[in-house]
Amino acid sequence: MRAATSLEELIRALQSPAATDPEADALSVQQELLRLLARQGRRVPFPVGLSAVVIALMAGSSLGPVWPLAWLFVVLAVLGLRWWMLGRLPAWHERRMDQRLRWAVALSGLNGLVFATSFLFTPWMVDHARMLQTILLLGLCAGSVATTAGYRPVFLAFLLPVSLANSLAWVLHAQRSGVGWLEWVLGGLILAFAWILAGLARDAYKVFADSVLIRQQQLRSNERLRQALQRAETANRAKTRFFASASHDLRQPLHTLSLLGAALGLRTLEPSSQKIVGQMNQALDSLASQMDALLDVSKLDAQVLELKEQSFGLAPWLARLVQEFGPGAQRKGLALALDCPPEAQVLSDPALLERVLRNLLDNAVKYTASGGVRVHVRAADLGGEPRWEIAVIDSGLGIAPAEQSRVFEEFYQVGNAERDRAQGLGLGLSIVSRLVDLLDAQLRLESEPGCGSVFTLSLAAAPQLAPELAPPPGQREHRLAGLRVLVLDDEEPVREAMQALLSAHGCEVRLAATTRAAVLDSLSAPPDLVLADLRLRSGDDGIAAVQSLRSALPDLPALLVSGDTAPERLREAQLAGLTLLHKPVQAEALLDAMEQLLARRYPTLSTFEG
């Protein structure tokens, strides 16, 4: 539940706007303004200083060098002071923000006043020099819209003295020279230009403030999202640890019951007792199947499923699967049919593909109340690539369009709000979807409510005819009589159940609860094979135990048996090169795994008797 809550928080963090704090927003805008003024304060002195040099040269050509050079020195000194002070203002945290902004305004006003004094030179300057001076200073005013981000106090502190002095200089020149209306028009145009710049500055500052606020809101949203994601990841890790621990603790007694049930089934019992044993084993198999569904998810998360592609014929392979589902369909009064061309050959992993088809067939039979289920195979072509399509067609209730994408989610089931255990855990199609991606196949769903469903699986066609698949697990004759087996498990009921099952198949079984006891026992009676639990109470684990045993008995065949389904445990077993069986292990699966391992170790040996 906590993981679901964290997921909801994550969704809310993505969808809802971040809460705003007006005071904090205003402070952020002002702080960003100071940073911009500091950056521009380091760039502006170069073009502004060059403009001042041009004005001083023009004034010096008519007035002489003394006063223009003195004015130029003052301009450069003010630019240097602004460069130094503006660079310090963003980090001057011991001063209040309003005090730092007043410093910025004062420095801008001082700069504007200094440049306004340049118009004292205009009575001695020729007309084209005055015109160039006006153009240069109007350009500086226009540029200050960007360099001050349009912040009115700082911008107007420079604009007003420069524009007023510029306009006044032309008006006074008209009065002195007696020239007509042109100078008056120029003075008025300069003031009009200043008014336009003030409007542009207002808009520029609004854009600047909005961009800062948007960035702040984005930062707050990112922080909320980061926190929600961190909570979701923490909850997910806790969920994984909980499920791994719960799975291990639940699998231990279930494994014991499965082994004892299998051993009991080998005994001669009266018919009524034999029927009870059969029903008990059937219930255990059903529970084990649901536990295996959770295990499949763990294996996919751990990325330890290896793809083992081979070419094989679909007709006999599907016939076996359909035959296994026949009794279940017959009990429900459903017709179960297979339509597969004998030449159909595919290139895929038969074990993983079987898991996919089993889920699809199981769902089809489970959710069809009347009519039937048909498996239809047809040739197809995808972009010039030959393929075979396997369609599982049922006459069940169908799936509404709104539900069709959700049926592939984990733990989601259509029409099972009460979580009826008889309908499984809702992991089947989720596993199918992920396995289909792993197999590089394609899966389509076509369904309408009341008209049934069609799941179509598209597979690459095999390039050539292939040999028949090996018989499925459980159909081989076990030749384990006389095999010396060392069982290492810290659970006494598990050890005793293993001994009961393996002894019934003629094995000589030795039991150990710790790695030390297993090593000592193997020195006195070397085993032919070791069955070791992955997690041991002694602080060791099955991997370390097998390594200790192999230091004394090199190449000793070993199988790991565990109820731990955590992804990291699966990866550890894979890296160690050991076969890992998960509790509860069905008796046939355990015996098959033992026989396959021994066949690789002793390829020419047919029996261990004698």
Side-chain angles (χ1 to χ4, degrees), residues 198-208:
L200 292 176
R202 181 182 63 250
D203 295 339
Y205 184 70
K206 184 177 184 302
V207 172
F208 169 78

Side-chain angles (χ1 to χ4, degrees), residues 217-527:
Q217 185 177 7
Q218 185 66 41
L219 289 174
R220 284 194 292 266
S221 297
N222 289 343
E223 178 62 20
R224 292 177 61 207
L225 178 60
R226 186 192 65 79
Q227 293 175 358
L229 183 61
Q230 187 176 28
R231 290 194 294 269
E233 290 175 346
T234 301
N236 188 58
R237 287 193 295 269
K239 178 207 70 174
T240 301
R241 289 194 299 270
F242 169 78
F243 276 124
S245 178
S247 175
H248 178 270
D249 294 341
L250 290 172
R251 285 171 180 271
Q252 290 289 95
L254 183 58
H255 179 60
T256 302
L257 286 173
S258 179
L259 295 178
L260 290 175
L264 189 59
L266 295 174
R267 301 196 174 198
T268 302
L269 302 173
E270 58 183 13
S272 60
S273 298
Q274 191 70 44
K275 181 179 180 181
I276 293 174
V277 172
Q279 292 173 340
M280 181 184 71
N281 287 335
Q282 185 177 1
L284 288 171
D285 289 344
S286 176
L287 183 56
S289 176
Q290 295 188 19
M291 298 289 281
D292 286 341
L294 292 171
L295 176 61
D296 283 340
V297 175
S298 295
K299 286 182 177 179
L300 289 165
D301 288 339
Q303 298 180 345
V304 298
L305 286 177
E306 295 182 1
L307 195 61
K308 300 177 180 177
E309 288 188 335
Q310 65 182 89
S311 298
F312 58 95
L314 283 178
W317 187 80
L318 286 173
R320 175 175 59 82
L321 277 180
V322 171
Q323 184 179 8
E324 290 183 20
F325 283 90
Q330 188 175 8
R331 282 194 297 270
K332 296 185 68 174
L334 303 176
L336 182 59
L338 170 64
D339 178 16
C340 179
E343 69 273 12
Q345 303 275 329
V346 296
L347 178 65
S348 187
D349 184 314
L352 299 183
L353 183 61
E354 180 172 334
R355 184 67 177 168
V356 171
L357 266 298
R358 278 185 181 278
N359 272 293
L360 295 179
L361 280 170
D362 182 65
N363 281 348
V365 173
K366 184 186 300 180
Y367 295 108
T368 301
S370 62
V373 176
R374 183 163 64 97
V375 180
H376 177 67
V377 180
R378 60 179 177 268
D381 185 275
L382 181 64
E385 177 189 0
R387 301 180 74 84
W388 287 99
E389 292 185 344
I390 307 174
V392 179
I393 308 167
D394 66 65
S395 58
L397 298 176
I399 304 171
E403 305 280 354
Q404 290 183 15
S405 61
R406 297 201 62 193
V407 296
F408 295 99
E409 297 176 7
E410 294 176 356
F411 303 107
Y412 185 81
Q413 290 177 304
V414 178
N416 190 20
E418 300 82 5
R419 303 302 300 169
D420 180 7
R421 290 191 303 271
Q423 297 187 34
L425 297 174
L427 287 172
L429 289 180
S430 169
I431 294 170
V432 163
S433 177
R434 297 168 73 174
L435 286 176
V436 165
D437 291 339
L438 184 62
L439 291 168
D440 196 22
Q442 297 177 0
L443 180 65
R444 303 194 306 272
L445 167 60
E446 301 171 56
S447 182
E448 291 184 16
C451 299
S453 303
V454 179
F455 287 85
T456 304
L457 185 66
S458 177
L459 300 166
Q464 58 185 6
L465 294 178
E468 294 292 331
L469 286 176
Q475 294 186 4
R476 292 180 297 271
E477 177 186 358
H478 297 291
R479 297 179 295 276
L480 303 178
L483 178 69
R484 295 186 297 271
V485 181
L486 174 61
V487 177
L488 172 58
D489 199 298
D490 55 1
E491 296 279 350
E492 184 177 359
V494 175
R495 296 195 301 271
E496 293 176 351
M498 280 283 197
Q499 186 175 35
L501 175 65
L502 297 177
S503 297
H505 286 271
C507 298
E508 298 177 11
V509 185
R510 305 292 291 267
L511 306 178
T514 64
T515 301
R516 183 175 182 275
V519 172
L520 293 176
D521 188 275
S522 65
L523 292 177
S524 59

Side-chain angles (χ1 to χ4, degrees), residues 119-133:
F119 291 102
L120 295 175
F121 303 140
T122 54
W124 294 274
M125 296 171 65
V126 296
D127 288 345
H128 72 272
R130 288 200 308 272
M131 186 63 70
L132 182 57
Q133 178 191 29

Side-chain angles (χ1 to χ4, degrees), residues 170-181:
W170 283 101
V171 171
L172 292 176
H173 180 266
Q175 291 179 348
R176 286 194 307 269
S177 61
V179 181
W181 53 270

Side-chain angles (χ1 to χ4, degrees), residues 41-52 79 83:
R42 285 170 167 77
R43 298 169 183 167
V44 163
F46 301 102
V48 174
L50 182 60
S51 299
L79 291 176
W83 180 87

